[in-house]
Amino acid sequence: MRICSIITSFTSGGAEMLVCNLAEAFAGAGHQPAVLSLSHAAQVGNAPDTEAAMMARVRAGGATALSLGLANRNNLPGGALALRRALRTIRPDVIHAHSARALLPLALAMPGVPVVLTHHNSRLSFPPSAFALFNCIVDGYVAISDQCETLLRGHARKPIRMILNAAGARFRTGQPRAAAGRDPTILAVGTVSAQKDYPTLLRAARPLVDALAARGRSARIRIAGAGPEFGRLAVQAAGEPVELLGARSDVDALMRQADLFVNCSLWEGFPIAMIEAAMSGLPIVATAVAGNREMVSPGVNGQLVPPSDPAALALAMADVLGDDARYAALSQGALRVARRFSIENCAAAHLDLYRELIEARRLRFAPPPVARPVSPCE
């Protein structure tokens, strides 16, 4: 099967990581995947180095990686023409858009194969009225969480398939952690944007450091990610005990070095980085918002706190790091929870959906059977 997955650009965001992980899994299963970005990373404010590393990784995994280099997202005719040329080369059996931005160019390109859309968030980034057009283009939708499914059901008029997100096997560890380090490292991973609300983590950093200092311990808080708010966050972080790492291609190594994973988002779809953390055996402290609530069970694999509450965030982090027995139990729980999110199961579920949509389209457009002439002797 030839599978074309479309993203906005090659960046370290959760949706993009999932697409690249799936491409590797599809290729490993004998299919011919291609990952196509609408724009170069630099054209949309993302890191070119990360783009180059991700494209190289996709190609090394046996898939095609290419970018249309669209600088003007409002140039629909130009975008459709560039997309149509790329699709003629890829000759896909199915197209999976992981960005709603791809749908209008796809409508003009008229690919003639099933189209799938995954919206990777519990909030819409476009007017709900856009679904009137999407429903004419899309053959099926994928929901990545209960909240995303609820959102789609309010607007989608095509079948919706729930497929949980997954993380790459390189994050998988076989053993739980017995205890946090004496001077622990706290890690947050994700695009630096308003959604992630990193200023709350900055405000929680000092109370956490003070709480650990009272026990003779120190802490290092690290944020891995780039994005539109990075410059502003760097100014806010000046003088705070927080290290801004920027975009990183070695998040798996950062997870292995960390003692605790934190997510302080105001809203989520289903964060890939949180699955990666669980696969790494990291206890998780996260805000009690959609997506996070489906991943974190308090007392099982982490703690949930109210959003935009730095005091509650600092207290929860200090509590997890301060009790070795509880920490070990949460690490074991993280590994148990992570088993639900294997990339193998995720890829198999996508392949099943693609086969069903390809067959449904074949039957819908199959020519009617030709009536056999009846002999007078019959």
Side-chain angles (χ1 to χ4, degrees):
M1 190 188 313
R2 294 185 295 272
I3 303 160
C4 178
S5 300
I6 303 178
I7 56 179
T8 300
S9 75
F10 285 92
T11 186
S12 55
E16 292 79 12
M17 294 304 300
L18 174 67
V19 170
C20 293
N21 290 338
L22 285 173
E24 290 179 335
F26 294 154
H31 300 281
Q32 300 174 51
V35 181
L36 174 64
S37 71
L38 298 177
S39 302
H40 298 323
Q43 291 172 319
V44 291
N46 293 323
D49 289 350
T50 301
E51 175 184 55
M54 291 182 70
M55 294 180 81
R57 181 188 140 209
V58 168
R59 290 165 181 156
T64 299
L66 64 158
S67 171
L68 297 182
L70 302 178
N72 183 359
R73 68 179 66 189
N74 295 318
N75 181 10
L76 287 178
L81 181 60
L83 181 57
R84 189 166 187 173
R85 287 171 179 159
L87 294 178
R88 282 176 178 169
T89 300
I90 298 169
R91 296 183 298 114
D93 299 304
V94 63
I95 297 170
H96 193 151
H98 292 265
S99 168
R101 276 188 57 198
L103 292 184
L104 289 179
L106 275 173
L108 296 178
M110 296 183 293
V113 299
V115 174
V116 181
L117 173 66
T118 298
H119 179 62
H120 289 267
N121 218 313
S122 59
R123 293 188 180 184
L124 295 179
S125 56
F126 45 82
S129 59
F131 276 97
L133 176 61
F134 294 174
N135 291 324
C136 297
I137 304 167
V138 169
D139 294 84
Y141 294 87
V142 170
I144 60 171
S145 69
D146 290 340
Q147 183 66 27
C148 291
E149 183 177 30
T150 299
L151 179 71
L152 287 174
R153 291 206 179 281
H155 305 286
R157 298 296 176 264
K158 294 291 178 67
I160 302 168
R161 181 71 55 86
M162 169 74 87
I163 303 178
L164 294 176
N165 274 349
R170 69 185 185 280
F171 289 90
R172 194 171 292 146
T173 184
Q175 296 297 324
R177 298 158 187 252
R182 182 184 181 280
D183 298 319
T185 296
I186 297 94
L187 178 66
V189 176
T191 303
V192 182
S193 64
Q195 173 185 342
K196 299 299 183 180
D197 192 22
Y198 287 127
T200 288
L201 180 56
L202 295 185
R203 291 191 292 272
R206 187 66 60 183
L208 171 64
V209 168
D210 291 345
L212 291 178
R215 306 171 193 170
R217 305 169 71 186
S218 63
R220 179 167 61 165
I221 300 172
R222 313 178 84 185
I223 298 174
E229 300 289 326
F230 187 86
R232 182 180 302 176
L233 187 68
V235 172
Q236 295 172 330
E240 297 294 340
V242 176
E243 183 182 2
L244 303 185
L245 304 178
R248 297 289 291 255
S249 59
D250 61 341
V251 174
D252 53 333
L254 295 177
M255 294 279 188
R256 288 191 291 272
Q257 297 163 9
D259 297 281
L260 179 69
F261 185 83
V262 62
N263 174 298
C264 48
S265 293
L266 298 174
W267 69 91
E268 280 288 0
F270 203 112
I272 299 288
M274 198 174 291
I275 300 173
E276 294 169 347
M279 291 179 67
S280 303
L282 284 174
I284 299 168
V285 173
T287 47
V289 299
N292 291 356
R293 291 194 302 265
E294 295 178 48
M295 181 68 194
V296 178
S297 298
V300 175
N301 63 325
Q303 286 296 114
L304 292 172
V305 299
S308 302
D309 190 335
L313 184 62
L315 179 61
M317 291 190 289
D319 285 348
V320 172
L321 293 169
D323 184 332
D324 288 351
R326 184 182 181 208
Y327 181 94
L330 294 177
S331 179
Q332 290 177 337
L335 294 180
R336 287 196 302 271
V337 169
R339 295 190 192 112
R340 297 178 55 207
F341 305 102
S342 75
I343 192 65
E344 295 83 6
N345 291 343
C346 184
H350 278 88
L351 291 171
D352 286 344
L353 173 63
Y354 299 158
R355 292 186 188 99
E356 291 174 21
L357 294 178
I358 291 170
E359 179 63 11
R361 187 177 184 90
R362 185 189 70 79
L363 294 175
R364 188 162 68 249
F365 291 100
V370 177
R372 183 175 63 86
V374 178
S375 168
C377 299
E378 290 182 334

